[in-house]
Amino acid sequence: MGDSYRNTLLEVAESMDSALRHIALVSKAVRGDNLDPLEKSGIKGSVSVLESDCAILNGNLLRAVNFINDEWPLIEGNAGRQREVRDFIGKFDAFCNAVMEFDSQCTVNESTAFDVLWDFEASRDYVIVASKYCEGLRKVAEDLDTISSGRGKRTTPLQGLAEEMSGYFNGLTDADLEDALLHNKFVGHKGDWTERVNKATYFGKHFGVSAEVMNRIFRFQGKDGRPTLVHFTRNPYPIGRKNDRLVEILAKYPLKEK
């Protein structure tokens, strides 16, 4: 593997860092933050770079994932290589978190996002890119955990939650939920909340996470069918109903220690 191994992961990590810098600036514009003159002058260029580099980043991530898979027999027996892969996955997680936040900002500030991006759905495009590789890289991270712990494959503390909650949301696995709810690690895609938004308030409060975290995990729709965000105060959930299915399900899944 040698230097070519390290260089491959470094090059791909640098392409993610570049995307993050431009996403950060465009996100500020979408939020309506006060920008200094230099930042204002850079918005158009950042949007252009994001548009032109999306396909390049997709190819780079594919190259990194393929490289890790090809070299896995060597990674398994080399602690140094394992650290390098962990570092890369950590950068990918940071990229996913930024992309998900960018997408949330574009959802809640739809008009401003259009003014900044025009018809280029940057947040959607980058969410799609991230989602392609999150499952494979999370599996690599789990395999590294197994190697370092010397144990067999772990069972998620939220085993069975996704299936039991299938009437409330779809698109996420037990492992996705554990990462997001218990470890503040977000996958590169959101689940779709299919029940009333106020039920998401109870779900989030049960696991002790904020509305912001819930909006990074799920896509929500209002009564008019338009995208919306959950707000715990505005979307309260009445407690004390008899035979409340949601309460019964979540009672089986207390918040776990990390």
Side-chain angles (χ1 to χ4, degrees), residues 194-212:
T194 56
E195 260 284 1
R196 294 198 302 274
V197 177
N198 69 338
K199 295 189 178 184
T201 294
Y202 184 80
F203 183 91
K205 287 187 173 181
H206 175 84
F207 288 105
V209 299
S210 66
E212 178 184 1

Side-chain angles (χ1 to χ4, degrees), residues 24-133:
L25 180 57
V26 176
S27 291
K28 291 178 70 173
V30 170
R31 285 196 304 267
D33 293 354
N34 291 324
L35 304 177
D36 61 40
L38 183 60
E39 288 176 321
K40 288 181 180 178
S41 67
I43 293 296
K44 185 176 181 180
S46 286
V47 172
S48 177
V49 169
L50 288 176
E51 187 167 13
S52 63
D53 284 6
C54 189
I56 296 172
L57 179 60
N58 178 63
N60 283 340
L61 284 168
L62 177 61
R63 180 162 62 99
V65 170
N66 287 341
F67 198 88
I68 291 171
N69 289 334
D70 290 344
E71 300 292 341
W72 185 250
L74 295 174
I75 296 169
E76 281 186 300
N78 189 309
R81 301 304 185 213
Q82 292 168 27
R83 284 194 298 272
E84 290 169 359
V85 174
R86 287 186 186 278
D87 288 344
F88 177 80
I89 293 175
K91 291 180 183 294
F92 178 76
D93 287 343
F95 168 74
C96 288
N97 288 342
V99 166
M100 299 302 286
E101 175 62 20
F102 181 34
D103 190 50
S104 293
Q105 291 299 329
C106 288
T107 298
V108 74
N109 301 295
E110 185 177 3
S111 177
T112 307
F114 181 79
D115 291 340
V116 173
L117 298 165
W118 289 92
D119 59 350
F120 171 39
E121 296 186 356
S123 66
R124 290 281 80 214
D125 287 357
Y126 277 84
V127 165
I128 290 170
V129 168
S131 67
K132 287 182 180 180
Y133 307 104

